[in-house]
């Protein structure tokens, strides 16, 4: 399948002002965001706590954006229905979060939500080879998950290239996203490697002009060579 271009931009609310969350979501929607990325952290699978389904449920009536929910939690299966009911459009689970990923992805699809699979930096692309028929989005962590504001790991670019080849070999329409350290410089590197979705935290929410920031990320993107 062809790579979608320009890439989608999904601001991460982890970098937003939590005291004004509904306003912050509305602001990036007006600014041209494609998706809204919601990082759920449990303090166990990753060394940080963020928020749960209550926030997603509260924000859902306030926005028409696609809610791209990234579950950095383990175990994940007991909470899938809760996040689906809260309003998730996509649910990403980590290949590292449990032994029954195939069943987990089937469950997400059965809930009427698009399944995604995420990989930590130490996990090879080949680890998800047996579930590519079940996912709509692959999320490559370009930082070690748990905290915003980290530096992009260029070591992940070869993984993105490998995953792009794997995704195209399926003949399915699979998005490849990058999450962590995305700015105008690293957006160019990631998209040139084959990514077509950019999760952006401080590179949007840390900027004074959200519309300019989102347009800047799209403008920096490069078609794969």
């Amino acid at each position: 399948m062809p790579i979608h271009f320009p890439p989608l931009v999904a601001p991460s609310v982890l970098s937003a002002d939590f005291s004004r969350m509904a306003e912050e979501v509305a602001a990036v929607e007006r600014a041209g965001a494609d998706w809204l990325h919601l990082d759920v952290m449990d303090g166990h699978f990753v060394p940080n706590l963020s928020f749960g389904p209550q926030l997603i449920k509260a924000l859902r009536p306030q926005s028409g954006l696609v809610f791209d929910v990234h579950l950095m939690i383990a175990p994940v299966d007991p909470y899938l229905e809760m996040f689906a009911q809260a309003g998730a459009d996509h649910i990403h689970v980590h290949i590292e979060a449990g032994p029954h990923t195939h069943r987990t992805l089937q469950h997400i699809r059965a809930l009427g939500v698009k399944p995604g699979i995420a990989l930590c930096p130490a996990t090879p692309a080949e680890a998800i080879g047996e579930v590519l028929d079940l996912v709509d989005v692959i999320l490559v962590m370009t930082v070690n998950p748990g905290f915003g504001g980290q530096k992009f790991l260029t070591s992940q670019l070869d993984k993105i290239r490998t995953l792009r080849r794997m995704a195209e070999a399926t003949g399915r329409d699979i998005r490849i996203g990058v999450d962590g350290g995305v700015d105008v410089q690293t957006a160019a590197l990631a998209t040139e490697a084959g990514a077509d979705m950019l999760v952006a935290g401080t590179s949007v929410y840390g900027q004074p002009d959200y519309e300019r920031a989102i347009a800047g990320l799209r403008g920096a993107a490069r078609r794969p060579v």
Side-chain angles (χ1 to χ4, degrees):
M1 298 296 294
I3 298 173
H4 300 276
F5 210 86
L8 298 176
V9 177
S12 170
V13 299
L14 195 65
S15 298
D17 181 347
F18 273 50
S19 71
R20 303 171 48 250
M21 187 60 78
E23 296 171 48
E24 290 276 65
V25 171
V28 294
E29 186 167 7
R30 288 193 303 271
D34 299 290
W35 296 354
L36 188 74
H37 192 74
L38 298 117
D39 288 305
V40 179
M41 304 178 182
D42 66 356
H44 169 67
F45 181 69
V46 292
N48 197 9
L49 289 166
S50 59
F51 49 80
Q54 294 88 351
L55 178 66
I56 295 168
K57 184 177 181 180
L59 292 174
R60 181 69 280 178
Q62 309 297 320
S63 176
L65 289 172
V66 169
F67 276 21
D68 189 52
V69 177
H70 179 192
L71 298 184
M72 288 173 271
I73 64 178
V76 68
D77 290 337
Y79 303 99
L80 296 175
E81 188 168 352
M82 192 179 300
F83 282 98
Q85 291 177 349
D89 294 294
H90 307 158
I91 293 178
H92 302 288
V93 296
H94 272 262
I95 189 68
E96 308 90 356
H100 305 297
T101 309
H102 192 280
R103 183 172 64 200
T104 300
L105 294 167
Q106 287 181 316
H107 188 188
I108 294 170
R109 181 82 69 188
L111 291 168
V113 177
K114 290 188 174 182
I117 191 75
L119 302 87
C120 291
T123 302
E126 293 75 13
I128 67 168
E130 296 301 320
V131 296
L132 284 177
D133 60 323
L134 297 175
V135 300
D136 293 316
V137 187
I138 301 168
L139 191 63
V140 180
M141 297 304 302
T142 43
V143 299
N144 285 294
F147 297 94
Q150 299 182 66
K151 185 178 179 181
F152 184 96
L153 297 172
T154 56
S155 61
Q156 301 306 294
L157 293 172
D158 280 343
K159 183 189 294 184
I160 296 168
R161 294 184 185 99
T162 299
L163 288 167
R164 174 51 64 192
R165 290 193 295 270
M166 291 169 63
E168 289 181 349
T170 69
R172 299 183 63 246
D173 188 4
I174 301 174
R175 288 269 183 183
I176 296 181
V178 291
D179 185 357
V182 172
D183 57 25
V184 290
Q185 287 78 32
T186 57
L189 297 174
T191 53
E192 192 170 42
D196 54 11
M197 191 275 278
L198 306 170
V199 175
T202 55
S203 59
V204 172
Y205 276 119
Q207 307 306 308
D209 186 329
Y210 296 168
E211 184 174 2
R212 183 175 181 180
I214 291 169
L217 291 170
R218 288 200 189 99
R222 299 175 185 166
R223 290 186 181 274
V225 295

